[in-house]
Amino acid sequence: MIIYKDLFSGDEMISDSFPFEDIDGIAIKITSKTIKQGAADYDIGANPSAEGGDEDGGGGSAEDVFVNNVEDAFKYQEMALNKKNFMAYLKDYLKKVKAHLEEHNPDRVAEFQAGSQKFIKEKILANFADFQFYCGESMDPEAGMAYKFYEGENPEPFFYVFKDGLVEEKC
């Protein structure tokens, strides 16, 4: 398994156990879904009603807690940001990522700057009211964030993270 940790905080942000795709070499888009917290559904082929089990056909009870699988797995903490605060955060964060790239991968700097500006303008700012912002478990305000967005009619959200703000770790 591969874990992708935040470059600055070390928080686990995503892993290859969740479906994801590369977006223009700048961001990673993670597919998420709603799950029942703490539940594991192992289909062993048995008929639950014949076994005296789940009579309600798999629906939930009033005590069931449903969570987003990505938020839950990586212990994301939601941050309420207005556009002004978000832009101030982003300016500082992108500057830190750029400095890291200049030191470790100078050939990547120009592509990162152009691509990140395009992604921010065309994806995040164009749909700002529809985004939710999450920091990692440490709640480090200077580290990278995950950006939650519902696309089209899909009832499950996607999360975006900046690719250059992650460190890959094989487990």
Side-chain angles (χ1 to χ4, degrees):
M1 176 165 66
I2 300 173
I3 303 280
Y4 296 88
K5 293 185 174 185
D6 181 76
L7 184 62
F8 305 110
S9 70
D11 290 340
E12 293 180 0
M13 298 301 286
I14 63 170
S15 79
D16 65 350
S17 61
F18 294 87
F20 68 87
E21 63 183 284
D22 184 283
I23 305 296
D24 300 327
I26 295 300
I28 296 175
K29 177 181 177 182
I30 306 107
T31 303
S32 71
K33 63 182 177 180
T34 302
I35 60 169
K36 186 166 45 169
Q37 191 173 35
D41 182 19
Y42 301 104
D43 183 5
I44 57 172
N47 181 352
S49 60
E51 302 288 325
D54 188 7
E55 296 293 334
D56 66 359
S61 71
E63 297 86 35
D64 290 341
V65 176
F66 291 89
V67 296
N68 180 281
N69 64 339
V70 173
E71 283 177 50
D72 189 55
F74 299 106
K75 298 175 179 60
Y76 287 169
Q77 305 297 317
E78 187 170 5
M79 306 267 305
L81 294 174
N82 61 30
K83 194 178 274 191
K84 180 181 176 187
N85 291 342
F86 174 72
M87 292 306 292
Y89 153 79
L90 204 54
K91 180 180 176 184
D92 292 341
Y93 175 71
L94 294 177
K95 194 181 295 185
K96 286 172 57 173
V97 173
K98 179 185 172 199
H100 175 80
L101 288 174
E102 286 172 339
E103 185 177 332
H104 296 94
N105 191 1
D107 295 339
R108 175 89 175 120
V109 173
E111 183 182 352
F112 169 73
Q113 286 185 292
S116 63
Q117 293 304 316
K118 179 181 178 195
F119 178 76
I120 292 163
K121 181 179 178 185
E122 294 178 6
K123 188 66 175 180
I124 298 176
L125 294 180
N127 302 290
F128 189 81
D130 298 325
F131 270 90
Q132 291 173 280
F133 305 98
Y134 292 83
C135 61
E137 182 177 14
S138 71
M139 295 191 70
D140 184 343
E142 297 178 8
M145 287 189 183
Y147 312 108
K148 182 179 181 180
F149 183 67
Y150 291 86
E151 291 186 2
E153 298 298 317
N154 188 346
E156 302 291 355
F158 294 96
F159 287 87
Y160 292 91
V161 292
F162 281 105
K163 185 177 181 176
D164 293 291
L166 300 173
V167 176
E168 185 178 304
E169 183 179 292
K170 293 182 182 179
C171 298

